[in-house]
C-alpha cells in the first residue's frame, strides 16, 4: 500500500468535486422545493449547480408511463427484510422521474410478516405506478408507519408536511425508531440501487464494471483509487455532525503485485466549504483501524467519524473485502487521463447528449455544468 494518500479532492474529476461541496446545500434546497406536477408532489433540484445558483427544472414529458415503470421495477422490488429479533420488513419507494435528482426514498413498515406489508402498502405502489403522489398515499396508508429517508446521509424526515426540515416525531411513532436503527449501510446501498432501477437506468456498479476502460483524471500507477471514483454513480456515504458534513470515501490499492488488503477511509469535508480535511483512517485486513489525522487536534473528530461509520456499517470488514475483490477485478482497466484529454472528450459531447460519466443525465445538467 502506498504510504501517501491523496485526499479525494485531489483525485476526483472537477464535476465530482463540485458535487461533493454542494451536495448537502443542494439537498437542503431540494427538500424546501415542493412542486406539484401532473398530480405528483416531489422535490426537485439539480445536483450540479452552476457556480452558486441552484436550478429547479421540471420536465413533465420525461415522466415514464405506468407500463414502462412496470418493466423497470418488479412488484417485489423495494421490499427488504431487516436483521434483528424479531425480523422486520420495509418497502422503499424512490422517485421514478428521470428528470428529478432527489435522493429521498419513502419507506413503509408494518407489524407482521411480509404479506401484511404488501397488502397495506398496495395503495402506495398503485399511486407510484400512476404517477400520483405516493408520499401522500404513504401518509394515508392504514396500519403502516411511513417516513422519508435520505439515501446518502440516512437522515429521517416526515413524508408530508409544511416544513420539509421538520424532525421526525419518534414519540408519536415509536415503531419507526426500531426500524430506523436497523437501516444499516447495506440497506441504504440497496435503496440506492433501487433509485436507479426506478428511473429505468442501469446499476452504476454493473455498468462501470462492464466498460473496457476506466479513466481517472491525473491518476498514476501506484496511487490508491476511491470506490466512488472508479464506479461512478454509486451511493455516497454522508455523515452530519451539527453544522459539519463529511463524506467517507474508501480508497483501495490497485497495484498488481500488492496483496496488503488495506483500505484507506478518507473523510472529505463537504460543509462548510473550505473546511480542513480531518485526515484518514487506514484499516487493516483484520479490521483494525489506524488514525492518521492531518493535525492532532483533528483526532477526536476522526474518531467520531469512525464510530459513526462503524455504526452504519457493522460488517465493514466484509464490506471492504467484497469491494477490494471488485477493485482487483477492474484494476487492469484503470488508466490515468490528463485533464486536457478529459476536456477534449467532454468537448465532443453535445449539450443535450447523455453525459459520458454514465449518470443518465444530460451533459449540460451534469459534468457540462462546470
Amino acid at each position: 500500500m502506498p504510504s501517501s494518500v491523496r485526499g479525494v479532492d485531489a483525485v476526483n474529476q472537477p464535476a465530482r468535486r463540485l458535487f461533493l461541496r454542494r451536495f448537502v446545500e443542494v439537498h437542503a434546497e431540494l427538500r424546501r422545493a415542493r412542486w406539484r406536477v401532473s398530480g405528483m408532489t416531489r422535490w426537485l433540484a439539480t445536483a450540479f449547480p452552476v457556480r452558486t445558483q441552484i436550478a429547479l427544472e421540471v420536465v413533465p414529458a420525461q415522466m415514464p408511463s405506468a407500463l414502462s415503470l412496470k418493466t423497470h421495477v418488479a412488484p417485489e422490488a423495494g421490499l427488504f427484510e431487516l436483521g434483528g429479533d424479531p425480523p422486520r420488513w420495509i418497502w422503499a419507494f424512490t422517485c421514478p422521474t428521470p428528470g428529478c435528482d432527489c435522493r429521498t426514498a419513502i419507506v413503509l413498515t408494518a407489524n407482521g410478516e411480509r404479506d401484511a406489508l404488501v397488502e397495506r402498502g398496495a395503495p402506495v405502489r398503485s399511486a407510484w405506478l400512476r404517477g400520483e403522489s405516493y408520499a401522500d398515499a404513504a401518509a394515508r396508508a392504514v396500519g403502516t408507519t411511513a417516513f422519508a429517508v435520505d439515501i446518502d446521509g440516512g437522515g429521517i424526515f416526515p413524508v408530508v408536511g409544511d416544513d420539509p426540515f421538520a424532525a421526525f416525531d419518534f414519540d408519536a411513532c415509536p415503531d419507526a425508531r426500531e426500524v430506523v436503527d436497523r437501516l444499516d449501510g447495506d440497506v441504504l446501498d440497496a435503496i440506492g440501487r433501487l433509485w436507479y432501477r426506478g428511473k429505468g437506468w442501469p446499476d452504476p456498479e454493473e455498468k462501470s464494471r462492464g466498460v473496457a476502460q476506466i479513466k481517472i483524471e491525473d491518476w498514476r500507477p501506484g496511487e490508491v483509487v476511491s470506490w466512488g471514483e472508479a464506479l461512478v454513480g454509486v451511493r455516497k456515504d454522508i455523515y452530519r455532525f451539527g453544522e459539519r458534513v463529511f463524506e467517507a470515501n474508501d480508497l483501495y490499492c490497485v497495484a498488481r503485485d500488492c496483496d496488503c488488503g488495506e483500505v484507506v477511509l478518507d473523510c472529505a469535508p463537504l460543509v462548510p466549504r473550505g473546511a480542513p480535511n480531518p485526515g484518514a483512517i487506514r484499516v487493516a485486513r483484520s479490521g483494525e483501524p489506524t488514525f492518521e489525522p492531518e493535525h492532532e487536534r483533528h483526532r477526536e473528530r476522526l474518531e467520531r467519524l469512525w464510530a459513526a461509520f462503524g455504526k452504519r456499517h457493522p460488517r465493514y470488514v466484509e464490506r471492504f473485502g467484497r469491494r477490494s475483490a471488485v477493485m482487483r477485478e477492474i484494476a487492469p482497466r484503470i488508466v490515468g487521463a490528463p485533464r486536457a484529454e478529459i476536456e477534449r472528450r467532454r468537448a465532443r459531447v453535445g449539450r443535450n447528449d447523455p453525459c459520458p460519466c454514465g449518470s443518465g443525465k444530460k451533459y449540460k445538467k451534469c459534468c457540462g455544468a462546470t
Side-chain angles (χ1 to χ4, degrees):
M1 169 68 73
S3 59
S4 61
V5 179
R6 294 193 298 165
V8 75
D9 281 345
V11 296
N12 282 346
Q13 299 177 2
R16 176 168 166 76
R17 290 201 298 268
L18 179 60
F19 179 86
L20 294 180
R21 292 169 184 160
R22 291 287 292 149
F23 174 83
V24 174
E25 294 164 301
V26 170
H27 186 72
E29 295 296 333
L30 157 70
R31 290 195 57 80
R32 289 194 182 99
R34 304 193 64 200
W35 293 63
R36 185 167 295 275
V37 178
S38 301
M40 184 178 78
T41 299
R42 63 183 182 270
W43 297 295
L44 306 164
T46 299
F48 292 86
V50 179
R51 295 183 177 91
T52 61
Q53 298 177 356
I54 296 176
L56 298 178
E57 180 179 0
V58 180
V59 188
Q62 291 183 336
M63 172 68 74
S65 66
L67 179 61
S68 67
L69 286 174
K70 289 177 182 177
T71 64
H72 293 159
V73 181
E76 66 275 8
L79 283 165
F80 304 105
E81 183 179 13
L82 306 182
D85 187 22
R88 294 294 300 266
W89 284 87
I90 63 170
W91 201 352
F93 298 87
T94 59
C95 178
T97 309
C100 179
D101 294 314
C102 70
R103 294 288 289 170
T104 303
I106 303 298
V107 175
L108 284 182
T109 183
N111 289 321
E113 297 298 324
R114 175 183 184 274
D115 292 343
L117 178 58
V118 171
E119 178 181 354
R120 298 168 189 171
V124 182
R125 176 171 170 79
S126 296
W128 186 84
L129 286 170
R130 293 193 301 267
E132 299 174 356
S133 176
Y134 56 95
D136 290 341
R140 295 191 303 264
V142 178
T144 67
T145 297
F147 55 85
V149 59
D150 174 6
I151 298 173
D152 297 301
I156 306 299
F157 312 94
V159 295
V160 294
D162 295 331
D163 182 7
F165 282 113
F168 188 84
D169 189 355
F170 286 104
D171 292 333
C173 303
D175 201 43
R177 170 58 70 186
E178 179 186 356
V179 174
V180 169
D181 287 343
R182 302 190 197 183
L183 290 180
D184 61 15
D186 292 339
V187 176
L188 293 176
D189 285 346
I191 297 176
R193 291 190 292 270
L194 183 70
W195 186 85
Y196 278 89
R197 292 180 60 189
K199 296 179 183 295
W201 296 342
D203 181 280
E205 179 179 338
E206 294 178 0
K207 181 177 180 179
S208 296
R209 292 174 68 175
V211 300
Q213 198 172 62
I214 300 174
K215 291 187 176 182
I216 299 178
E217 184 177 317
D218 293 335
W219 179 82
R220 295 179 295 275
E223 294 180 334
V224 291
V225 178
S226 74
W227 175 260
E229 186 178 26
L231 306 171
V232 177
V234 293
R235 188 189 74 85
K236 297 166 181 59
D237 212 14
I238 308 296
Y239 296 86
R240 176 183 290 275
F241 296 94
E243 297 300 318
R244 293 184 178 271
V245 182
F246 300 86
E247 180 182 6
N249 298 279
D250 39 333
L251 299 99
Y252 298 83
C253 177
V254 294
R256 182 177 305 177
D257 56 349
C258 180
D259 190 34
C260 63
E262 278 191 343
V263 177
V264 175
L265 197 66
D266 181 76
C267 302
L270 304 184
V271 176
R273 287 191 192 183
N277 191 316
I281 304 164
R282 196 177 294 269
V283 186
R285 192 195 302 269
S286 64
E288 185 68 24
T290 300
F291 298 96
E292 299 179 348
E294 289 289 336
H295 300 283
E296 192 59 32
R297 65 178 181 273
H298 294 150
R299 180 176 293 275
E300 181 180 354
R301 181 169 297 158
L302 209 57
E303 291 174 347
R304 290 182 62 195
L305 282 163
W306 175 248
F309 182 87
K311 182 178 180 180
R312 181 176 294 176
H313 304 286
R315 296 174 295 279
Y316 67 87
V317 174
E318 292 83 353
R319 178 184 183 84
F320 288 158
R322 186 191 78 81
R323 291 188 168 193
S324 292
V326 172
M327 295 297 277
R328 287 195 299 271
E329 170 196 321
I330 66 176
R333 287 177 278 144
I334 296 177
V335 297
R339 176 171 297 186
E341 179 180 342
I342 297 294
E343 293 300 329
R344 286 197 301 271
R345 182 158 56 94
R346 289 171 181 160
R348 293 195 297 267
V349 181
R351 283 176 51 77
N352 291 310
D353 292 341
C355 187
C357 75
S359 67
K361 296 188 283 291
K362 289 184 179 181
Y363 176 68
K364 66 182 181 182
K365 294 292 184 182
C366 190
C367 296
T370 59

